[in-house]
Amino acid sequence: MSVEALPTAPAADLAALLARAEALQSAGDTAAVVSVYHGWLAHHGTHPLAHVAWFNLGVAHATLKDPVAAAEAYRKAIALQPAFAEAHLNLGNQLEQQGRAADAIAAWRRALDAGIIDGQTRPALLCHLLNNLGRTLENAREYEASEAMLERSLLCLPDQPDVLQHWVHLRQRQCRWPVYEAFGEVTLAMMVRATSPLAMLASSDDPGLQLYRANVFLQNKVLPTLPAGLAATAGVKPAAATAGVKTATATAGVKPATATAGVKTTAAVGPAPASAASTTAITGTARGQEHRRLKIGYLSSDFCQHAVALLMVDLIERHDRTRVEITAFSWTRDDGSAVRDRIRKAVTSYVPIGHLSDDEAARAIRDRGIDVLIDLQGLTSGARPGILARRPAPVQATWLGFPGTTGMPFIDYVIADRFVLPESLTPYFIERPLYLPHCFQPSDTRRKVGPAPSRAACGLPSNGVIYCSFNNNYKFDRPVFASWMRILDSVPRSVLWLLGDSRWAEANLRREAEAHGIDPARLVFAPRIAPDQYLARYGAADLFLDTRPFSAGTTASDALWAGLPLLTCPGRTFASRMAGSLLQTLGLPELIAADPDDYVARAIALGREPARLAAVKARLARARDAAPLFDIARLARDLEDALAAMVSAA
């Protein structure tokens, strides 16, 4: 029967109504579906199965992107059938669509508390409810409650890697140690396999494990999203790449790698398209010649008040426009920040691609003839590896967004330096290193550091050494915290000043301090504040204590720029060596510890010897102006030289 031939009068028979609505929906006429259900309910609102009609009406309104009407329809269904689990779930979804997260949580909690879903007979539906609660509670920064919901879900159905991934990171953010703790049928091995690439940087100093986790991400999250032709060729070396791996440098062009060459891949997913102007010489190290400008594309969702943008903005402003064209390909939220405005003004072109599919975005990049595409996202939230997998540029690199290997064979290079990525570490990277001559990390030297607030204004004691660590709390672990407690124990009247990320982290850290015999009051937690106030706050501290295995990156740059010495203990991974790279470039090797015991000893010595600490601060003040670390104009030239050599050699 055609849609037109269906009867128009409301039918008392629900089966006929459902058949009619289904036919209209199949014809793509969702508005007519809404009209049909409204018409039937106007005459049959007391029908024993009217709640089904209300539910289906809610689905139709949701399809039409009308969450208010959808939510009202689901409420009607629940009023008629309070145990209608799917209606409760969908009501919460529609409230969330309206931006009413708290109301969504309340709706789901009512369903959970009412016990309307039997986990024995409908485990998947119960987990759906628990996972919705866990997700929204995490977004609301209710970490403890979120963890509890996800744990209940995993007890019901243990094989949920995505849920377990969030559970692990929630424990990191709360400083719940040990983070990995088996429960129910969830094993430690399952937890390690489910740990996100970012969380793994803070979990392990094993570069092999970080490479493994990046590869799992590639296999589970990236390849399944690609068209079959692209996914099938991922990881296959093109014939031209079988001669060995190359390491690009800023000063020497391209050199063969050493004994680690065999472990690399330079595979492309599909052929690398030629640049639109590839027959014209690209500007290299010789400046002022009549060559076309190198076309650099930066790819990111973080051109806003974000650590990556704060690092990049000064460098983008200092690029030599006679040598390079800069295009920002962005899917960034408009947060109205000054750094976003600076980036938009500094680039040659700012191209929003948030509304484009990966295919369309790759085409937009390719159409602009980009020579080298630099991904500033890596494996962090919001990444779009599907764009890079389509090879929109002949050379593709990763930088800053993720301090480890991406595991993605369609990214050719990682921009680094020889401290943060020594040759001994390169076997654990899919990407070839593009070495800069000094430090891999830029900074914003146009920032002003205001006068330091008083200690009293910061809630700090007027006397004693102020150790601080303003790294995110998820970077803390039990070994590094134990080191800090040894330091406090050995330096009387000293305190540890930390970033107050959450009340659960604060409570857990205070309990941990007490277990070490340290008065919990010697931990002082600082709230998040505006960027200018944040930089000034470093002036109230004496020494920054870095974390391991995930060291400070942007935060280290902030502290050093503000004049605060930082003590670090590099490990075996890129992520653990970032702050060490900054300190080496500043010429402050005495702040780079050889091992955890040396780290503790140096922190104690600096705390006990004010003259020694003052001398280090004076050296830092001189180095800030003289060393290459904060010479961003020089870094821009070095990067341009390195990229030009890399593209010419491709």
Side-chain angles (χ1 to χ4, degrees):
M1 182 184 296
S2 68
V3 174
E4 292 79 2
L6 289 170
T8 56
D13 180 35
L14 182 64
L17 170 69
L18 298 180
R20 183 182 182 196
E22 184 177 357
L24 290 168
Q25 188 62 59
S26 297
D29 195 350
T30 307
V33 173
V34 169
S35 179
V36 164
Y37 276 119
H38 271 301
W40 188 89
L41 286 164
H43 293 84
H44 304 285
T46 59
H47 191 285
L49 295 176
H51 62 281
V52 175
W54 281 114
F55 179 85
N56 288 357
L57 177 59
V59 172
H61 278 304
T63 302
L64 293 173
K65 310 296 185 186
D66 187 349
V68 175
E72 184 58 29
Y74 292 133
R75 286 193 187 93
K76 298 280 191 181
I78 292 167
L80 293 172
Q81 180 55 267
F84 196 170
E86 289 84 354
H88 286 277
L89 281 164
N90 286 8
L91 172 60
N93 290 336
Q94 295 308 306
L95 291 170
E96 189 179 15
Q97 287 291 317
Q98 297 175 49
R100 298 166 58 186
D103 290 334
I105 290 169
W108 288 324
R109 279 193 185 277
R110 284 194 295 271
L112 184 64
D113 294 343
I116 62 175
I117 305 176
D118 183 353
Q120 295 296 318
T121 59
R122 308 185 76 187
L125 194 64
L126 177 59
C127 288
H128 188 178
L129 174 60
L130 291 166
N131 295 343
N132 278 358
L133 278 165
R135 174 180 53 78
T136 48
L137 286 165
E138 180 181 2
N139 292 341
R141 300 180 64 84
E142 293 289 335
Y143 299 145
E144 186 176 61
S146 175
E147 180 195 345
M149 293 299 170
L150 298 186
E151 186 164 319
R152 285 181 64 178
S153 176
L154 290 161
L155 285 168
C156 182
L157 289 177
D159 189 15
Q160 299 184 80
D162 289 346
V163 175
L164 189 51
Q165 172 181 309
H166 281 265
W167 182 88
V168 167
H169 197 44
L170 281 164
R171 288 176 70 87
Q172 287 181 317
R173 294 167 82 169
Q174 296 175 85
C175 300
R176 288 280 302 274
W177 303 324
V179 169
Y180 298 126
E181 194 168 38
F183 62 93
E185 297 179 28
V186 180
T187 67
L188 295 180
M190 292 168 66
M191 292 177 183
V192 172
R193 284 197 299 270
T195 300
S196 73
L198 180 67
M200 187 60 76
L201 300 181
S203 298
S204 173
D205 195 38
D206 182 345
L209 192 55
Q210 293 184 4
L211 173 60
Y212 160 76
R213 195 58 192 85
N215 185 258
V216 170
F217 184 89
L218 173 72
Q219 299 297 327
N220 294 345
K221 299 293 186 182
V222 179
L223 297 185
T225 69
L226 302 179
L230 286 179
T233 57
V236 180
K237 283 188 179 182
T242 59
V245 175
K246 298 185 182 296
T247 299
T249 67
T251 56
V254 178
K255 293 182 178 179
T258 58
T260 62
V263 300
K264 299 286 203 309
T265 176
T266 55
V269 178
S275 170
S278 59
T279 57
T280 306
I282 295 171
T283 302
T285 55
R287 297 171 193 166
Q289 298 180 10
E290 293 301 320
H291 296 316
R292 75 172 182 85
R293 293 185 292 172
L294 180 70
K295 294 183 178 181
I296 302 171
Y298 289 119
L299 187 68
S300 182
S301 70
D302 296 325
F303 294 129
C304 55
Q305 190 68 34
H306 185 277
V308 169
L310 296 171
L311 291 177
M312 284 294 298
V313 61
D314 195 2
L315 179 132
I316 291 174
E317 290 171 336
R318 294 179 190 271
H319 270 306
D320 183 350
R321 294 304 186 273
T322 67
R323 302 184 70 202
V324 297
E325 294 179 19
I326 305 298
T327 302
F329 297 98
S330 169
W331 57 105
T332 305
R333 69 186 188 281
D334 186 357
D335 63 350
S337 62
V339 66
R340 173 180 166 83
D341 186 55
R342 285 173 61 188
I343 289 173
R344 289 188 66 116
K345 289 177 179 177
V347 296
T348 310
S349 301
Y350 188 92
V351 182
I353 59 172
H355 62 293
L356 301 179
S357 68
D358 287 350
D359 267 333
E360 292 166 337
R363 192 176 304 117
I365 295 168
R366 189 177 294 116
D367 288 348
R368 284 166 175 78
I370 298 299
D371 296 305
V372 55
L373 182 63
I374 301 176
D375 176 46
L376 301 174
Q377 205 83 31
L379 301 181
T380 58
S381 177
R384 295 183 65 180
I387 296 174
L388 294 150
R390 287 160 171 79
R391 274 287 181 184
V395 178
Q396 301 185 156
T398 183
W399 193 25
L400 296 179
F402 183 77
T405 183
T406 65
M408 297 182 188
F410 36 80
I411 297 182
D412 307 303
Y413 292 91
V414 55
I415 298 173
D417 61 61
R418 292 186 181 276
F419 185 98
V420 78
L421 183 57
E423 289 192 7
S424 61
L425 185 55
T426 59
Y428 303 99
F429 272 68
I430 290 293
E431 309 86 355
R432 293 171 284 178
L434 176 66
Y435 284 127
L436 297 176
H438 302 292
C439 183
F440 80 101
Q441 183 174 288
S443 185
D444 182 8
T445 59
R446 302 182 194 271
R447 294 174 296 170
K448 303 298 182 185
V449 181
S454 68
R455 287 189 170 189
C458 298
L460 298 168
S462 57
N463 297 309
V465 176
I466 309 297
Y467 295 104
C468 81
S469 186
F470 291 153
N471 285 337
N472 286 313
N473 293 173
Y474 76 83
K475 292 186 177 184
F476 302 173
D477 66 5
R478 182 163 272 165
V480 78
F481 192 79
S483 296
W484 293 344
M485 295 304 97
R486 288 169 59 192
I487 294 164
L488 292 188
D489 188 49
S490 300
V491 182
R493 298 185 306 282
S494 62
V495 300
L496 181 60
W497 196 16
L498 303 171
L499 184 65
D501 257 358
S502 76
R503 62 182 184 273
W504 302 282
E506 291 183 25
N508 288 330
L509 291 173
R510 291 190 193 280
R511 278 194 293 269
E512 195 77 11
E514 195 167 22
H516 283 273
I518 300 297
D519 182 354
R522 293 177 70 183
L523 303 187
V524 180
F525 291 91
R528 292 184 181 272
I529 53 178
D532 56 335
Q533 297 172 304
Y534 156 75
L535 281 176
R537 189 160 64 182
Y538 281 110
D542 295 306
L543 181 65
F544 189 111
L545 297 177
D546 197 15
T547 46
R548 171 180 167 149
F550 198 164
S551 71
T554 306
T555 310
S557 179
D558 293 340
L560 296 169
W561 178 248
L564 179 65
L566 177 147
L567 180 67
T568 192
C569 183
R572 301 169 56 218
T573 62
F574 189 119
S576 71
R577 302 179 64 81
M578 295 187 293
S581 172
L582 274 63
L583 291 166
Q584 176 175 268
T585 307
L586 282 169
L588 294 170
E590 65 268 36
L591 293 175
I592 305 174
D595 54 51
D597 287 337
D598 185 40
Y599 171 87
V600 170
R602 292 181 188 228
I604 292 170
L606 288 168
R608 288 176 173 175
E609 302 174 38
R612 180 176 174 181
L613 184 57
V616 171
K617 284 187 176 181
R619 287 189 61 201
L620 170 58
R622 292 192 297 271
R624 201 190 86 152
D625 297 327
L629 181 63
F630 293 116
D631 188 346
I632 306 304
R634 174 194 270 185
L635 175 60
R637 301 296 85 76
D638 289 340
L639 178 64
E640 291 159 7
D641 289 345
L643 295 178
M646 178 178 68
V647 171
S648 296

